[in-house]
Amino acid sequence: MRRVIFLFLTAVFALSVHGQQTQKITLDDILVKGTFNAQTVDGLRPMKDGEHYTTLENKTQIVKYSCSTGKEVAVIFDISKIKDAPVKSFSNYEFSGDETKILLTTAVQPIYRHSFTATYYVWNQVTEEFLPLSEKGAQQVATFSPDGERIAFARNNNLFIKNLKFGTENQVTFDGAKNKIINGTPDWVYEEEFGYNKAFWWSPDNKFLAFVRFDETQVPDFTMPVYGGESPQLEQYKLYPGEVTIKYPKAGEKNSDVTVLVHELRSKTNMAVNIGEDKDIYIPRLNWTPDANSVVVMRLNRLQNKLDVLYANPFTGDSRPVFSEKNKRYIDKSFLDSFVFLEDGKFVITSERDGWSHLYLIDNNGFELAQLTKGKFDVTKYYGFDNVRKVFYYQAAAESPLRREVYFISQDGKKKGKISKLQGTNDFVFSKNFNYYFNYFSSSKTPTLITLHDNKGTQIKVLQDNTVLNNTIKVLALPQKEFFNFTTSAGVELNGYMIKPAGFDPSKKYPVVMTQYSGPNSQRVVENWGRGIGWEDYLAQEGFLVVCVDPRGTAARGEDFRKITYLQLGKYESDDIVEAAKYLGTQTYVDKNNIAIYGWSYGGFMVLLAMEKGGNLFKAGISVAPVTSYRFYDSVYTERYMRTPNENKEGYDENAPLSHAGDIKGRLLIIHGSADDNVHAQNTYEFTEKMVQAGVQFDMAIYTNRNHGIKGGNTSKHLYTKMTDFLKEQLQ
């Protein structure tokens, strides 16, 4: 009897396993259910003592752990224990400097890519008080003063300071007005292209608040229609559409006039800082010297090839230049985030002055003390200086542009080495005393793995290994991503990856879908989990060979490779993509008559250029939210790479898809969101009209009220279903 039961169970198990192995990925898995989403550790924060860290759990608790053991020490906040709490959960938190208070973020409402409004609450661990930051409307970018006694925040384009001891709310500025004046938060183009959402900085001694004021009055308006659609909030637009107007400086147009001010808390006065006579500049960051004696102003010229660091007296506003960084092409925005002070006033920068991105140590007077890192590789992140061990920590693509490792080096270069051990992408978060680190690791085969280590590299704890996802992947028997390289007719070696259909047979010929982004200093061909299992894997499952190649202009291969596209965005990248398609056509397993290309944003721009250059090489293409002429795009991004249209007319027009719309031979599906505040739908409308007049047939989809991400409700599933069906119809 036992043997019969055993055989029965074995048969059931075999059928179960067989069923799981033939299970297919669905678009619902990818876009709706999140079946293949890698898990992370929410709200991981190293604590001030260097020996503990905290995490956010279930969006209701902040839990404290020991770094030395990885074990839970205490639940230091639990919102469910707060009597009559007005909210039941929170999405983010920050400690005050002494960690006696916690700032909690709730009710987040996105504005643009980085900006949002929220309702903040403050938890005082000493008095056990739970109070709203303000009851006069939603806030933005709330930030503790270093001593934790005050919180600065923005509301309706003005700045405020809340005194937590007395509960008073002091208004710092009064002239904020929509589409006119912004205080303490960046305008649209600064937020999008300089990558931040807060434009104020506390002084280390708590006496001052430095901030940037943006005068948008003369910046041209861009207006987008708003339709009723399916949103109850937009019901008033059912009959007559409405409109949204934002200030958007296109290439060569007027930018915001910016000023730097310093608010002194004692006198409640604002002092203007002298930032020079040239007003056509950018102020992408401010800072303070560690001794709080000077406001640090980063002043970038409009061409973005010269960045000056000024030190300003917060009492008088007088300033003096301390350091300048110059580049014959442009200064990459990574410089802004790598500029970090040491305790003694020296600072670290990332510079490309030797042709590669490396770390340099600069003294208090702006003179170079040392080039900290050297070699034919790019440093990709600076982590900080260990004042006890006297070493600098950084991430680099030293072994391969496809990978990232973490290293240390002393100022004299005598002590150095690699800390990370796994081959793929390693990204560290260090404890405050550098005695411990958390490694966020992934590879093309390994979803996010988060581990805690001591400074010697000994693993203490696995915080997240994505076991469930790994088990799910195993039973799906997915094809693996394979990396390759080839040399173009111009003698340039390019890196790529391909995802072969399940059960790949090299004797067969497969239709190809080329996917790419190709934008400046971007990278898609890299050893990390990236976006995980997604539409590319789904296409491979459906019988397509999916291929991605990073062309010239992309990251981690030195300045010359990265900046060859200067003044002619699109030229070399599209040349390389066409070469990649030709190379694929020589492979025995590729059906060269059935090659399609896909891309979004800059990738959509590249689809159009490649199809225009490739003739009959591409049977089909999908271009989502493309730039069709960089005359239509914003000033900061475009001019960084192209200068202004007046200075570089040929560069703009010769490499604009808009100039060659009649050259497209394959079938094009072009897609845009009607409310795209980033790459305006104007790009698609102008381009399709050119195709109409040239007699080029195409397919088109406009998604109502959707922005650059084209998401919301059933939108993503509809979009990816449409794109999949299009590829299946065209590649036959």
Side-chain angles (χ1 to χ4, degrees):
M1 183 66 179
R2 288 181 182 178
R3 178 175 173 78
V4 172
I5 294 174
F6 173 78
L7 291 172
F8 173 77
L9 292 175
T10 301
V12 170
F13 177 77
L15 287 170
S16 174
V17 171
H18 177 74
Q20 288 177 327
Q21 287 176 339
T22 57
Q23 180 182 335
K24 284 194 168 186
I25 306 169
T26 67
L27 289 178
D28 272 352
D29 285 326
I30 298 167
L31 302 169
V32 181
K33 300 176 183 177
T35 303
F36 308 117
N37 292 350
Q39 300 299 307
T40 186
V41 178
D42 289 335
L44 193 154
R45 303 275 190 278
M47 297 191 76
K48 187 177 180 180
D49 64 4
E51 297 299 321
H52 296 89
Y53 68 94
T54 57
T55 63
L56 170 58
E57 302 188 8
N58 302 315
K59 298 191 182 301
T60 60
Q61 293 182 327
I62 300 173
V63 182
K64 180 179 179 180
Y65 293 88
S66 165
C67 287
S68 62
T69 66
K71 294 181 179 179
E72 181 179 323
V73 173
V75 176
I76 59 177
F77 178 73
D78 186 341
I79 201 166
S80 68
K81 301 293 177 62
I82 306 297
K83 186 178 180 181
D84 300 323
V87 293
K88 302 300 181 184
S89 63
F90 53 99
S91 58
N92 206 351
Y93 70 98
E94 291 293 339
F95 285 106
S96 60
D98 63 3
E99 297 177 339
T100 62
K101 303 179 186 73
I102 306 174
L103 183 64
L104 306 163
T105 306
T106 73
V108 171
Q109 293 295 322
I111 303 174
Y112 298 121
R113 188 185 299 270
H114 304 287
S115 57
F116 59 89
T117 63
T119 301
Y120 294 91
Y121 290 86
V122 180
W123 168 250
N124 189 318
Q125 297 193 77
V126 178
T127 64
E128 297 190 343
E129 291 179 293
F130 185 74
L131 298 172
L133 173 59
S134 175
E135 296 182 292
K136 299 177 182 179
Q139 309 95 48
Q140 287 181 252
V141 293
T143 307
F144 278 114
S145 60
D147 62 6
E149 294 299 312
R150 295 171 176 83
I151 294 176
F153 64 91
R155 179 196 293 125
N156 297 331
N157 292 13
N158 282 314
L159 273 176
F160 301 80
I161 296 177
K162 177 71 171 284
N163 186 311
L164 298 177
K165 183 176 181 180
F166 299 106
T168 54
E169 190 173 300
N170 173 46
Q171 188 164 345
V172 174
T173 65
F174 295 86
D175 58 349
K178 181 177 175 59
N179 287 341
K180 292 181 179 180
I181 304 295
I182 311 173
N183 294 286
T185 57
D187 66 7
W188 185 94
V189 73
Y190 268 69
E191 175 181 336
E192 177 67 24
E193 305 304 353
F194 291 125
Y196 69 113
N197 66 355
K198 179 170 68 72
F200 65 79
W201 291 259
W202 282 102
S203 64
D205 61 3
N206 312 286
K207 295 178 180 179
F208 299 95
L209 187 71
F211 63 96
V212 183
R213 177 183 182 270
F214 299 83
D215 184 344
E216 296 187 292
T217 309
Q218 300 302 314
V219 177
D221 293 341
F222 190 86
T223 299
M224 296 175 291
V226 178
Y227 304 96
E230 293 301 314
S231 172
Q233 289 78 21
L234 302 176
E235 185 68 30
Q236 69 269 32
Y237 301 132
K238 288 289 187 183
L239 194 58
Y240 293 94
E243 60 184 31
V244 171
T245 299
I246 64 173
K247 293 290 187 174
Y248 189 104
K250 292 180 183 280
E253 297 296 316
K254 184 74 172 67
N255 287 318
S256 290
D257 287 326
V258 292
T259 51
V260 175
L261 298 108
V262 182
H263 178 76
E264 185 188 20
L265 273 68
R266 182 182 58 81
S267 64
K268 297 183 180 179
T269 57
N270 297 330
M271 172 63 67
V273 170
N274 180 6
I275 58 175
E277 295 182 2
D278 186 2
K279 301 303 179 186
D280 199 11
I281 58 169
Y282 300 110
I283 306 292
R285 296 286 191 280
L286 300 180
N287 206 328
W288 287 86
T289 55
D291 59 13
N293 288 337
S294 300
V295 182
V296 180
V297 180
M298 293 189 183
R299 181 181 66 194
L300 185 63
N301 67 340
R302 180 141 185 177
L303 292 180
Q304 300 180 61
N305 58 11
K306 184 174 184 287
L307 189 146
D308 299 315
V309 177
L310 313 178
Y311 282 8
N313 185 317
F315 292 101
T316 67
D318 295 332
S319 65
R320 60 185 176 90
V322 173
F323 174 80
S324 290
E325 177 76 0
K326 300 176 182 179
N327 192 290
K328 64 182 180 182
R329 286 167 285 205
Y330 57 87
I331 296 169
D332 193 82
K333 66 180 181 179
S334 61
F335 177 96
L336 303 171
D337 295 318
S338 67
F339 184 101
V340 179
F341 279 103
L342 276 57
E343 292 178 3
D344 60 4
K346 299 183 184 74
F347 53 89
V348 174
I349 64 165
T350 300
S351 174
E352 298 168 303
R353 57 187 65 176
D354 76 346
W356 299 83
S357 181
H358 282 299
L359 299 178
Y360 294 79
L361 181 63
I362 312 298
D363 74 7
N364 308 52
N365 297 310
F367 295 106
E368 181 184 319
L369 290 174
Q371 181 176 347
L372 298 172
T373 60
K374 298 177 182 179
K376 292 185 177 181
F377 64 88
D378 283 328
V379 169
T380 47
K381 184 179 286 189
Y382 170 61
Y383 293 114
F385 177 66
D386 184 338
N387 202 39
V388 174
R389 298 171 182 87
K390 304 298 181 184
V391 296
F392 299 86
Y393 297 98
Y394 63 96
Q395 181 198 62
E399 296 178 345
S400 165
L402 275 62
R403 302 195 293 270
R404 300 292 185 271
E405 310 86 40
V406 178
Y407 298 87
F408 71 90
I409 191 166
S410 60
Q411 181 176 336
D412 59 12
K414 292 181 180 179
K415 293 190 296 183
K416 60 182 178 180
K418 186 174 77 168
I419 308 172
S420 56
K421 299 176 181 177
L422 300 176
Q423 186 168 295
T425 296
N426 298 272
D427 192 7
F428 283 12
V429 173
F430 284 92
S431 64
K432 300 296 183 184
N433 56 12
F434 291 97
N435 286 342
Y436 306 94
Y437 62 84
F438 302 87
N439 187 11
Y440 287 68
F441 170 80
S442 74
S443 71
S444 59
K445 299 179 181 179
T446 308
T448 305
L449 171 66
I450 306 173
T451 50
L452 169 62
H453 305 254
D454 65 21
N455 190 268
K456 295 179 181 179
T458 303
Q459 182 173 301
I460 297 169
K461 182 183 180 180
V462 176
L463 283 76
Q464 178 59 260
D465 60 6
N466 276 290
T467 299
V468 173
L469 178 55
N470 276 304
N471 289 337
T472 302
I473 294 168
K474 287 177 183 176
V475 301
L476 286 172
L478 291 170
Q480 294 296 319
K481 183 183 293 185
E482 298 178 10
F483 293 93
F484 69 96
N485 57 60
F486 73 99
T487 302
T488 69
S489 61
V492 180
E493 185 178 282
L494 299 177
N495 297 316
Y497 69 74
M498 60 176 64
I499 306 175
K500 295 177 179 177
F504 175 77
D505 182 349
S507 66
K508 293 182 178 179
K509 290 187 178 293
Y510 292 90
V512 173
V513 177
M514 294 181 66
T515 177
Q516 45 70 54
Y517 177 71
S518 307
N521 206 24
S522 67
Q523 195 174 11
R524 287 289 167 87
V525 183
V526 62
E527 259 284 12
N528 65 19
W529 188 246
R531 300 178 180 182
I533 297 173
W535 188 52
E536 293 181 4
D537 301 274
Y538 176 76
L539 290 177
Q541 171 189 271
E542 297 300 294
F544 297 101
L545 175 66
V546 180
V547 179
C548 180
V549 171
D550 276 344
R552 283 172 287 182
T554 51
R557 295 185 61 180
E559 185 181 29
D560 287 342
F561 187 89
R562 182 163 51 249
K563 294 183 179 178
I564 192 173
T565 62
Y566 186 55
L567 299 181
Q568 42 194 350
L569 281 184
K571 174 180 169 55
Y572 292 106
E573 308 95 298
S574 56
D575 285 350
D576 289 350
I577 295 300
V578 169
E579 289 260 359
K582 291 178 179 177
Y583 164 78
L584 290 169
T586 66
Q587 306 306 298
T588 57
Y589 48 84
V590 167
D591 181 353
K592 66 179 181 180
N593 297 316
N594 275 297
I595 298 177
I597 182 170
Y598 156 81
W600 196 309
S601 192
Y602 199 97
F605 165 65
M606 200 53 46
V607 166
L608 302 179
L609 277 179
M611 291 184 73
E612 290 170 349
K613 288 183 177 182
N616 294 317
L617 188 62
F618 297 101
K619 189 175 182 183
I622 302 175
S623 178
V624 185
V627 175
T628 60
S629 169
Y630 268 98
R631 291 177 179 271
F632 297 148
Y633 201 54
D634 76 59
S635 57
V636 176
Y637 182 96
T638 306
E639 293 171 21
R640 179 186 300 147
Y641 309 115
M642 296 284 282
R643 296 200 172 188
T644 66
N646 286 339
E647 295 172 285
N648 184 22
K649 182 180 185 300
E650 289 185 358
Y652 274 82
D653 295 340
E654 288 182 5
N655 299 299
L658 195 64
S659 301
H660 314 284
D663 292 338
I664 288 182
K665 304 300 181 187
R667 189 72 176 195
L668 174 67
L669 169 59
I670 192 167
I671 299 168
H672 226 113
S674 70
D676 190 333
D677 59 284
N678 187 346
V679 179
H680 303 143
Q682 171 191 19
N683 285 271
T684 285
Y685 293 139
E686 295 283 0
F687 187 77
T688 53
E689 172 61 12
K690 290 276 189 182
M691 286 196 292
V692 168
Q693 298 309 319
V696 177
Q697 293 296 317
F698 60 92
D699 296 288
M700 182 177 179
I702 300 295
Y703 283 88
T704 307
N705 296 339
R706 299 306 176 209
N707 64 15
H708 198 53
I710 313 184
K711 295 179 180 178
N714 192 51
T715 306
S716 292
K717 185 178 178 183
H718 187 280
L719 169 64
Y720 281 92
T721 300
K722 173 174 285 294
M723 294 194 297
T724 303
D725 290 347
F726 175 81
L727 292 172
K728 289 181 177 180
E729 290 167 3
Q730 298 301 319
L731 301 188
Q732 296 178 349

